[in-house]
Amino acid sequence: MPSQLVPKAPDSEIAGHLRACVFNQAGTAVIEKRAVPTEAAPKGGFIWFDVTDPSAEGMALLQSRFKLHPLAVEDALHAHQRSKAESYPGFEFVVVHSVSQGEQDLLQVHELNLFIGTDFVISVRHGHGFSTQDIVDRWDRVPEDWRSDPSSLFYVLLDAMVDEYAPFADALEDDLRELRHRLVDQRHLDEDVVRKIFRLSELASASHAVVFPLKDVLTTLLRVGPPVVSENEIPYFRDIRDHAEHVIERLSHAQTMADRAFDIYHALENRAQVAVSKQLTQVATVFLPLTLVTGFFGQNFGFLVNKLLVSATSFWIFCVGGELLVALIAVLYVIRVGQR
């Protein structure tokens, strides 16, 4: 296949951060990383430039070659944009995100900025690790009658991003399910459980906030038409939107599960406090009459000291026996009340 891209000396910052491919109905040719655009795309095909960790010099080169709007270039260069689809003269600018679960249940967001023109696709990403070869292999499986359209690659890129949502949602739901079982099964609640609930709650909430705008973006793209979405590709883009909506529903459900985990924790904590209060009340109920009896016999009444408690037998009967009898009655009463 004749290439429209040629290698350039690595004096530009774009070298080493850019991979280029030529696409047409006959197949694809992967060009070396240091390639930069020199000519137009082949007839009946398009060029894909994939830029990772973009530099100002590299983006300026692509901006000059493809007449990209400076506002869109600025957004792609600095990242941290919301998911959106914006129309510019000669191209469509789309921002989408994928998510993954990092260490300590922290959310990792991977942003993909896309420029889609009539004969080119430029993807700008900041540290996202999808394989270029995997995208090319996916593109080789699309229907041949729309391979020459750059929207075919756009579909593959979106599909690859959305496919990452399902494993993320699966792992999040499994963690929440395991956590809820752990809450019910363990006897003693600890601070680690609270921290785990909080981290998963934050993860569910943050991931839902990232993924939710994609539904509106896909709806907008379906109305844009070529070169972003051709007539033949509309059912495929609808399928991507359906998958995205399903994941959004699952993440919303995960938020509910996290909230319920908090509710379960609070309910178990309250139950434990009630059990402790009940035990303390039972102890107090037993010792209250004992305190009354002890206080009575501890008074120095003349009749009590001089006439009633004048022998060891009377001491054991009235003092010790009285205490034991009151304690027995109190314990039986507490047991009876506790069984109700």
Side-chain angles (χ1 to χ4, degrees):
M1 176 186 304
S3 172
Q4 302 299 322
L5 310 169
V6 297
K8 184 179 180 179
D11 56 348
S12 172
E13 289 293 331
I14 197 173
H17 294 87
L18 184 149
R19 186 182 297 271
C21 302
V22 175
F23 290 80
N24 60 27
Q25 290 183 334
T28 61
V30 179
I31 311 303
E32 60 182 86
K33 291 182 179 180
R34 299 183 187 277
V36 295
T38 58
E39 299 179 16
K43 185 177 181 180
F46 61 94
I47 303 174
W48 172 33
F49 286 98
D50 180 48
V51 185
T52 58
D53 298 323
S55 65
E57 293 83 355
M59 291 304 299
L61 179 63
L62 291 171
Q63 178 182 356
S64 175
R65 167 63 182 83
F66 294 104
K67 304 297 187 292
L68 304 179
H69 196 283
L71 290 178
V73 172
E74 182 181 0
D75 286 347
L77 185 61
H78 295 97
H80 303 295
Q81 306 297 318
R82 63 178 178 85
S83 295
K84 60 182 179 180
E86 296 178 339
S87 297
Y88 289 93
F91 70 94
E92 192 80 13
F93 179 60
V94 179
V95 181
V96 293
H97 302 84
S98 66
V99 292
S100 61
Q101 186 171 350
E103 296 181 357
Q104 297 183 347
D105 301 318
L106 294 177
L107 179 68
Q108 294 182 337
V109 181
H110 312 285
E111 183 174 314
L112 180 62
N113 301 267
L114 295 166
F115 301 82
I116 305 100
T118 56
D119 59 356
F120 68 89
V121 174
I122 301 173
S123 57
V124 181
R125 49 198 174 102
H126 297 258
H128 187 271
F130 69 68
S131 168
T132 307
Q133 187 59 48
D134 178 61
I135 298 300
V136 172
D137 293 340
R138 283 172 173 258
W139 182 86
D140 286 332
R141 296 193 293 269
V142 301
E144 293 185 4
D145 58 344
W146 45 283
R147 281 187 177 182
S148 59
D149 193 331
S151 59
S152 62
L153 178 63
F154 177 47
Y155 161 76
V156 170
L157 289 168
L158 279 183
D159 190 49
M161 296 285 285
V162 173
D163 281 349
E164 295 181 1
Y165 292 156
F168 173 83
D170 291 339
L172 180 58
E173 289 175 345
D174 290 342
D175 288 343
L176 286 168
R177 194 174 296 109
E178 179 184 355
L179 178 62
R180 294 171 69 181
H181 285 291
R182 179 182 171 187
L183 282 171
V184 175
D185 294 338
Q186 71 177 10
R187 292 190 175 184
H188 302 288
L189 302 176
D190 52 45
E191 293 297 326
D192 291 337
V193 175
V194 182
R195 296 191 188 97
K196 183 71 172 178
I197 295 174
F198 178 77
R199 290 198 299 267
L200 291 180
S201 177
E202 289 292 296
L203 183 63
S205 178
S207 60
H208 183 270
V210 171
V211 177
F212 184 79
L214 182 60
K215 179 175 65 174
D216 294 334
V217 171
L218 291 168
T219 301
T220 301
L221 292 174
L222 287 170
R223 296 196 299 262
V224 171
V228 179
V229 180
S230 67
E231 291 293 333
N232 295 331
E233 297 163 349
I234 287 179
Y236 295 90
F237 278 85
R238 283 177 179 168
D239 182 66
I240 293 179
R241 185 180 63 180
D242 290 342
H243 289 172
E245 289 179 347
H246 179 59
V247 171
I248 290 171
E249 292 174 356
R250 293 180 62 185
L251 293 178
S252 178
H253 177 63
Q255 286 183 284
T256 303
M257 291 178 65
D259 292 339
R260 289 179 178 175
F262 268 120
D263 294 339
I264 293 174
Y265 176 83
H266 290 311
L268 294 175
E269 188 74 12
N270 291 335
R271 188 179 70 175
Q273 293 177 358
V274 169
V276 172
S277 300
K278 183 177 180 180
Q279 292 174 351
L280 293 176
T281 302
Q282 291 173 346
V283 172
T285 303
V286 171
F287 278 92
L288 182 62
L290 294 178
T291 304
L292 176 64
V293 174
T294 303
F296 175 77
F297 283 100
Q299 300 180 78
N300 293 322
F301 294 135
F303 179 81
L304 180 68
V305 175
N306 298 325
K307 295 185 178 181
L308 186 61
L309 301 178
V310 293
S311 65
T313 303
S314 61
F315 169 78
W316 284 103
I317 293 176
F318 289 105
C319 294
V320 178
E323 291 280 345
L324 292 177
L325 178 62
V326 171
L328 177 62
I329 295 173
V331 169
L332 292 176
Y333 173 77
V334 168
I335 293 176
R336 182 177 180 182
V337 172
Q339 291 177 344
R340 292 181 180 179

